[in-house]
Amino acid sequence: MRVVRLASEIDFDGWRRAGRALRAEGVPPEAVVWTVEYDLFADGAAPAAPAKGAGPRFTVPQPFIDLAERVVLNRSNERFALLYTLLWRLEREPGLIDNPADPDLTRARDMAKGVSRAAHKMKAFVRFRLVEGVEPEVYMAWFEPAHRVTEAVAPFFARRFTGMNWSILTPDACVAWDGETLKVSEGADPADAPREDAQEELWRTYYASIFNPARLNPRMMQQEMPKRYWRNLPEARLIPELIESAQRRTAQMVEARPNPPSERVLKAALRHARDGSYGESDPLTLEEAAVAAQVCRRCDLWREATQAVPGEGPARARIMIVGEQPGDEEDLTGRPFVGPAGRLLDKAMLEADFDRRKAFVTNAVKHFKHEPRGKMRLHKTPDRGEVQACRWWLDAERRMVKPRVILALGATAVMGITGRSMPIARSRGAPIALDGGARLVVSWHPSYLLRVPDADARARAYAQLVDDLRLAQSLT
Ligand code: URA
């Protein structure tokens, strides 16, 4: 019997070297025992690679190498032996890699799938906490991956949180990023990771605001976020409460659907659609514009959207708020800013003492641009041509409402209002005179705030949005 001692639980290179040497020597799988030996200088360390030309020539297919790299990360104790069996058999059965029914290969593929799933869950569910009293700031997370994926997933976090000092502690290994290099060390104990801090509250606010009651499916939700991960997730505490309030909120969303348009308005809208030209006979009222937008074909976004989402609010509001485009919930309900971004905007308005009911709230683009991803519809930023095409509707709303102040949230809104790009950071904070006498106040889009990874930067941008709401209100 040959005993192979690998250097670590995920020692793919060691397995590969040993596999090559054993295969060249003609040692069959049943004559090999695979173990992990943490002391590399102990007897029986993995055999060295075979000398060039030793044994029959055999090239391992690349798909098998790719598979083996993932299988090695599985927690199954049989992984190294199974891979050597497959390697052994591949030399004798060249078509094996393409046989979908082979039990050894199926087992390896299932192991690899488990590893990919574990990596995906880790990317989604790692939550960093600020370590108290450490300078410069360090964030830590404790995570228990289903398989040994920590080192494999670490580069993802390094790319995602490049500017942060962070460590992820797991029972298998710890990885740390200092802005330049990734360091790997031994596994840790949960007690080593800080538990509570102000980040928790932010995560919960974020999760509550991205929660869409109309899409609630508790079974799916638990499948995607299995209970084993809940205890390390601050937002998990919200789940029972969110499920309870979901039915109530969905009913409110359905009730909030606008009334059907009058026959006169419908006829006018259809006339607009039939003519295909909107320039000659502008809509006369906001109601007419709202219905006519439903049949707008000025660009292609109508094809994938549920409906156009026109602006809403008092017909002679002194202030108009312009966003980018409807999101998923807005597309389903037909109303602007009722989804996650809208809920964050409401929160900022509350802090700014700003009464949303007095504002006319609309978007630069009236149809939801998105791309399907599984069952989700992921937001896509409208391009310049689409913003340009939709300016016709925004201009019509501006002409009819005649606001004194327009608050533009984000770059697309600025483009829809002025026809040009302006960096938000430089144009916010002071009003800008528009042709026709109205004044423009520029601020961050709430969805942008939801995406800022750095907590301080996020808090600063949020405070600026509150300030900009106050400024806009003071100018009315
Ligand atoms: N984002 C926007 O810009 N507008 C909405 O109505 C919703 C999300």
Side-chain angles (χ1 to χ4, degrees), residues 126-131 134 137-143 164-169 175 191-195 197 199:
V126 160
R127 297 291 182 266
F128 289 103
R129 298 177 158 89
L130 182 65
V131 183
V134 179
E137 271 184 1
V138 173
Y139 291 81
M140 269 202 200
W142 169 253
F143 194 73
M164 248 163 81
N165 289 333
W166 55 257
S167 299
I168 303 175
L169 317 185
V175 284
D192 297 336
R195 298 222 55 88
D197 76 65
Q199 293 276 302

Side-chain angles (χ1 to χ4, degrees), residues 309 323-327 330 335-339 341-342 362-363 445 447:
V309 179
E324 181 194 79
Q325 62 163 351
E330 287 81 10
R335 301 184 55 214
F337 280 108
V338 292
T362 191
N363 282 300
H445 192 288
S447 301

Side-chain angles (χ1 to χ4, degrees), residues 317-320 354 404-405 439 470-476:
R318 290 177 167 202
I319 185 158
M320 177 180 273
F354 184 112
R404 289 189 189 175
V405 181
R439 291 205 277 175
R470 286 201 187 105
L471 169 66
Q473 182 150 265
S474 74
L475 298 171
T476 56

Side-chain angles (χ1 to χ4, degrees), residues 289-307:
V291 178
Q294 301 304 335
V295 288
C296 177
R297 301 294 182 262
R298 297 172 73 85
C299 76
D300 273 345
L301 293 185
W302 64 274
R303 291 180 189 281
E304 301 297 333
T306 309
Q307 58 191 311

